[in-house]
Amino acid sequence: MKLANYVYGQWIEGAGEGTALNDPVTGEALVRVSSDGVDVAHALEFARTVGGAALKALTYEERAAKLGAIAELLTAKRAEYFDISLRNSGATEGDAAFDVDGAIFTVKSYARAGKALGAARHLKEGSRVALAKTDVFQAQHFLMPLAGVAVFINAFNFPAWGLWEKAAPALLAGVPVFVKPATPTAWLAQRMVADVVEAGILPPGAISIVCGGARDLLDHVTECDVVSFTGSADTAARMRTHPNVVARSVRLNIEADSVNSAILGPDAKPGTAEFDLAVKEIVREMTIKTGQKCTAIRRILAPAGTARALADAVSGKLAGCKVGDPRSEGVRVGPLVSKAQQAAAFEGLAKLRQECEVVFGGDPDFEPVGADAAVSAFVQPTLLFCDKGLAARFVHDVEVFGPVATIVPYAGTADAIAIARRGHGSLVASVYSGDAAFLAELVPAIADLHGRVMVVDAAVGANHTGHGNVMPTCLHGGPGRAGGGEELGGLRALAMYHRRCVVQGGPAVLDALSRDAVDAALLGA
């Protein structure tokens, strides 16, 4: 079966044989995708003119209601999405829940939050500014929805959540979305879009999807569009310098590589709640989705006197994690999504091993449960130990996108800060400590290079939302090598899909424009 593309209000099957999407456990070809023959320029213009006009005719609360209907539909079809996730991504039930349920939860969150914006269609920012000695001439700042389309070029690891965490705020803002999912796992995103289209929840042109190569997509974006990309730093660099993107100053949001850290404080010794909480979270981050998360823990910073005990504790937990076909009983860790990703992980792991000691995993004769190692895409969870600190290179520069993490001992707080910052910008760091002095020094010193810092102590316990779990009400993104982008953060995400402008004129003009506006301060509420 070849998956059709939904563009200009109709389903179009791409030309040619297309690319096969495979089961990463068995190697079986499941479906095929092709974008050949799709008129991308026409598809984008249809989305802008037809989809955009229909969405902007609705109020924020009416768009929020449509998001609520989408959430109900996705919930009703949850079991079908889990099945596709298992077959196309090799996802365990926990992995599928992380992606699919995360998508549903995010759409529901924006459906609820959007109601607060009420029967408005744009945003008013701040008070009026007097520009004359009397009130005859004034200025008012507004945030107006973009007239273009939100183009999403997504990553393979979250075909469900990656789609809806971007689409929900864009649709709420009144901007149509055009989705180009990563080819290896495009099936789930395509099915979700197909279900929404079939249900007739959104007006024609409000959502489009193209599966397969991006081809000339960036040649046709305009100054009124937004392009949001999640993927490698190399691809991001090519997008930033694309001639059309540069010439038209296209708004670009990037989430790229990230060597995230978990940091144990000096008080997080064996036997403490903070130590145990760190061990649990490290193992979870190495195994959920087989470490294929942009937010996963890659470096584990621990006091020199604690690092070996931590390695032993994590290794002991990993030894109890069954790795293999998710269809097999008791399996907790599945495969990577493809043989190509497996090869990339092995290549990165080989670099890490040049400056690290393997303390768990790395067995060349590893045999997954219920699967043929020759045709499947498994990588054994691997824990490494690097005592070179800042002198190491690959540990701080290479993100192995799989179940691989490295423990790095540090000598003191200043050393921990320097090592954390050596990642040159990350999505998240989690800190396990109840030491107020340590936290007061560490957190402000690393905050500018991290989109999110999660602090866990004994009082927080197991009530935290997780190192790698992105909450729709909180910022997702990071500076530097993490891409410099920002997503989510509750209603703050709508700012990307609006353009700030100031209107100068008489009170009557500003009154008329303000009647259809709601206070932009609600975005930060």
Side-chain angles (χ1 to χ4, degrees), residues 146-161:
L146 296 175
V149 61
V151 176
F152 303 144
I153 303 173
N154 289 346
F156 67 83
N157 54 334
F158 283 105
W161 179 82

Side-chain angles (χ1 to χ4, degrees), residues 44 121 258 285 340 426 516:
L44 291 174
R121 292 182 175 84
S258 184
E285 285 297 300
S426 301
D516 212 19

Side-chain angles (χ1 to χ4, degrees), residues 273-451:
E274 288 79 10
F275 182 91
D276 292 342
L277 288 163
V279 170
K280 182 178 181 180
E281 195 64 10
I282 291 164
V283 172
R284 181 175 184 270
E285 285 297 300
M286 290 181 67
T287 56
I288 191 76
K289 289 192 69 67
T290 322
Q292 296 170 106
K293 304 204 315 297
C294 299
T295 53
I297 294 170
R298 307 300 181 192
R299 299 178 301 163
I300 306 159
L301 283 55
T306 304
R308 286 293 177 183
L310 179 65
D312 291 342
V314 173
S315 296
K317 295 290 186 183
L318 290 173
C321 297
K322 188 178 290 188
V323 182
D325 187 342
R327 304 166 185 86
S328 299
E329 184 177 355
V331 165
R332 178 175 171 182
V333 186
L336 300 192
V337 301
S338 67
K339 294 293 287 185
Q341 286 299 314
Q342 180 194 49
F346 285 152
E347 180 182 351
L349 185 54
K351 292 179 179 178
L352 294 182
R353 293 180 74 154
Q354 293 179 34
E355 55 191 20
C356 297
E357 165 195 350
V358 177
V359 293
F360 182 86
D363 182 0
D365 299 319
F366 164 70
E367 288 290 338
V369 175
D372 181 352
V375 299
S376 57
F378 288 91
V379 172
Q380 185 184 24
T382 304
L383 181 68
L384 303 108
F385 193 97
C386 179
D387 60 5
K388 295 179 174 59
L390 286 172
R393 174 189 168 197
F394 296 126
V395 167
H396 309 300
D397 289 337
V398 176
E399 181 189 19
V400 179
F401 212 69
V404 178
T406 305
I407 293 176
V408 184
Y410 68 83
T413 305
D415 193 30
I417 290 168
I419 293 171
R421 294 184 66 86
R422 177 60 178 79
H424 297 311
S426 301
L427 295 171
V428 55
S430 55
V431 187
Y432 302 85
S433 177
D435 185 327
F438 171 75
L439 294 172
E441 184 177 354
L442 177 92
V443 174
I446 67 172
D448 68 311
L449 277 179
H450 292 80

Side-chain angles (χ1 to χ4, degrees), residues 439-482:
L439 294 172
E441 184 177 354
L442 177 92
V443 174
I446 67 172
D448 68 311
L449 277 179
H450 292 80
R452 175 166 57 94
V453 178
M454 184 182 79
V455 179
V456 177
D457 60 12
V460 171
N463 294 303
H464 64 84
T465 52
H467 168 101
N469 201 10
V470 177
M471 302 302 292
T473 50
C474 295
L475 175 73
H476 175 55
R481 70 174 291 168

